[in-house]
Amino acid sequence: MADALRERTARLLTDYLEFCARAPGSPARAPSTLEAKVLRYLATQVQQSHQGFLSDYRGYRGNRVALVEQLERDLFANPQNVSWGHIAALLIFAGTLLERPPPGTYLTLTPGQEQDLEWKTNVDEDCQHLVALLCSRLTGRHRAWLEAHDGWDGFCLFFSPMLPSSWKTLLVQALLSCVTVMILIYFLRRLS
C-alpha cells in the first residue's frame, strides 16, 4: 500500500533541496507542488532576514547530513517543540548547506573545473541522503504531529502568503523559530 504522506514529503524535499543545490545562474524549475512553492517563498524571506548567519553555511564542506541529523535531534529533542516554524527552519537550513558558496570563496579560487565537479558530486549525493533522512524523520518520528496538523496542506495554510491579515504574524513566528535554530547551531559549533 502506498504511503501518501511519505510520497508527498519525498516530492517536497526533492523539489526544494534540488532547487537549492542547482548551479548559480542556472534556471530553476517551477515548483512541483503548492507546498514546494510556499517553502521556496518562505526560504527566500528567511534567507533575506538572516543573510549574515546563513551565508556562513553556504558552501559548507563538512558532513552536511550529520549536521542536519544533529540539528533535527536537538531541535526536536522535546516532542512539544514540533511546529511548522521549526520544520521550515530545519528544511531551510538543510537547503542552505547545499547552496554553492558566494563568489570569491575557496571553491572558486582555482580555474580548473575539478573542484566544481567534486562539489556537484558531493552535493548531489548529500541531496539524496538529506531527502532520505528528512523524509524518514518527518514521516516516522514526527508523523503523528504532521497528520494532526493536516500534513502539507496544513503547512501551506500556515505559511500561505494568500492570507495577508495573518501573514506578518506567521512570518514573525517563523523568524523566531529560525532564531532558535541559530542559537542551537551556535552551540553546536562551539562544542565541535
Side-chain angles (χ1 to χ4, degrees), residues 12-100:
L12 167 64
L13 294 170
T14 300
D15 178 288
Y16 178 67
L17 295 177
E18 285 179 356
F19 168 77
C20 294
R22 76 189 190 289
S26 65
R29 288 186 292 194
S32 61
T33 61
L34 177 60
E35 55 267 23
K37 182 177 181 177
V38 170
L39 181 56
R40 287 186 192 185
Y41 178 81
L42 180 63
T44 300
Q45 301 304 310
V46 170
Q47 288 173 338
Q48 287 174 354
S49 299
H50 299 288
Q51 180 67 27
F53 170 75
L54 290 173
S55 66
D56 289 344
Y57 289 94
R58 285 190 179 93
Y60 185 75
R61 301 288 281 198
N63 188 333
R64 296 176 193 95
V65 178
L67 183 58
V68 170
E69 185 174 25
Q70 182 63 45
L71 179 60
E72 185 273 337
R73 273 195 308 266
D74 293 344
L75 194 58
F76 301 115
N78 181 347
Q80 296 170 349
N81 285 347
V82 180
S83 70
W84 286 125
H86 284 96
I87 290 172
L90 178 65
L91 300 182
I92 292 166
F93 183 74
T96 300
L97 293 175
L98 296 172
E99 291 179 10
R100 288 184 180 258

Side-chain angles (χ1 to χ4, degrees), residues 103-158:
T105 57
Y106 62 88
L107 187 63
T108 59
L109 292 177
T110 61
Q113 294 194 348
E114 294 83 18
Q115 265 188 326
D116 285 339
L117 182 58
E118 176 189 344
W119 171 261
K120 180 166 177 24
T121 301
N122 291 340
V123 166
D124 289 347
E125 289 174 6
D126 284 353
C127 187
Q128 293 170 8
H129 293 300
L130 285 170
V131 167
L133 169 73
L134 292 169
C135 189
S136 172
R137 296 291 169 86
L138 291 171
T139 62
R141 188 179 293 172
H142 308 300
R143 176 181 281 279
W145 188 92
L146 282 173
E147 289 174 342
H149 291 85
D150 300 323
W152 296 110
D153 292 331
F155 176 83
C156 292
L157 288 173
F158 186 82

